Amino acid sequence: ESDRRESRRAFPGLRAAYVPVAVCSDRFEGTADRPGDPHSLLHIGTIDTKKAPGMRLFLERIWPRLFVENHRAKLYVVGRNTAGLSIGGPGVIPIGYCEDDLPWYGCAQYVVNSQTVRSGVNLKSLMCFAAGRTLLSGPGGVHGLAIESGVHFWDLERLGEPGAAAEFWTAGGR
């Protein structure tokens, strides 16, 4: 609703409609019942111009803190254009493109939505919830969703603060 108001203010006369978005929960049936590896994080999605800055920031500022606090941690990076980021480093496992992302949700308990730009409907975050996984996201990955940092997801900006990574692993991502 706030997007509609913002758009009408910016573009008077614009015709807008509310289109509900959903994720087919049947697709994730049974996934939520099987917890992923409690030491692993998953990023799924093409690294395009909207997502590259956030992923670069995550890899440079947040992932090293998470890894220092838990040397068993793994970060699976699944999707197109992941090679363009020079993804590497301790615990980072670049997978690249895959035909079906569903099996990857079984590998990790945590899903990273590193998108910093607000756009779209944040399907990756909704899919994370449908899979019964814990979301790590900045504001761009949860824009428009009626969820609260610290209650429904871990805020990536907060995880970049000293001590937050240790708190994350101690809390078991909850």
Side-chain angles (χ1 to χ4, degrees):
E1 186 61 30
S2 67
D3 286 342
R4 184 181 62 77
R5 283 193 307 273
E6 208 173 294
S7 297
R8 284 207 170 137
R9 191 171 33 255
F11 305 100
L14 175 72
R15 291 183 58 202
Y18 171 74
V19 179
V21 176
V23 171
C24 178
S25 58
D26 291 349
R27 182 171 185 255
F28 294 94
E29 190 173 321
T31 306
D33 301 334
R34 295 184 312 270
D37 179 355
H39 305 284
S40 295
L41 287 73
L42 171 66
H43 178 277
I44 293 182
T46 299
I47 305 295
D48 57 18
T49 54
K50 290 186 299 189
K51 298 179 189 118
M55 190 60 180
R56 203 170 280 117
L57 182 71
F58 178 79
L59 289 168
E60 292 171 1
R61 286 195 46 230
I62 299 163
W63 176 250
R65 290 176 187 257
L66 290 169
F67 190 79
V68 162
E69 295 297 333
N70 181 355
H71 289 290
R72 293 174 25 197
K74 291 180 275 215
L75 170 63
Y76 295 96
V77 184
V78 179
R80 288 189 183 109
N81 301 334
T82 54
L85 276 179
S86 301
I87 293 173
V92 178
I93 305 167
I95 303 298
Y97 174 76
C98 70
E99 197 66 38
D100 181 12
D101 57 11
L102 186 61
W104 290 102
Y105 285 94
C107 294
Q109 184 56 41
Y110 312 103
V111 176
V112 177
N113 186 338
S114 60
Q115 189 167 329
T116 55
V117 178
R118 297 182 337 182
S119 70
V121 292
N122 296 310
L123 282 174
K124 297 300 179 192
S125 295
L126 294 174
M127 291 166 65
C128 167
F129 294 132
R133 299 302 183 244
T134 301
L135 177 65
L136 288 73
S137 179
V142 296
H143 175 71
L145 302 179
I147 59 176
E148 202 176 314
S149 172
V151 176
H152 303 103
F153 71 99
W154 278 84
D155 190 326
L156 287 178
E157 293 173 4
R158 184 168 169 268
L159 280 172
E161 297 171 3
E167 181 186 336
F168 171 80
W169 291 119
T170 302
R174 307 267 180 262

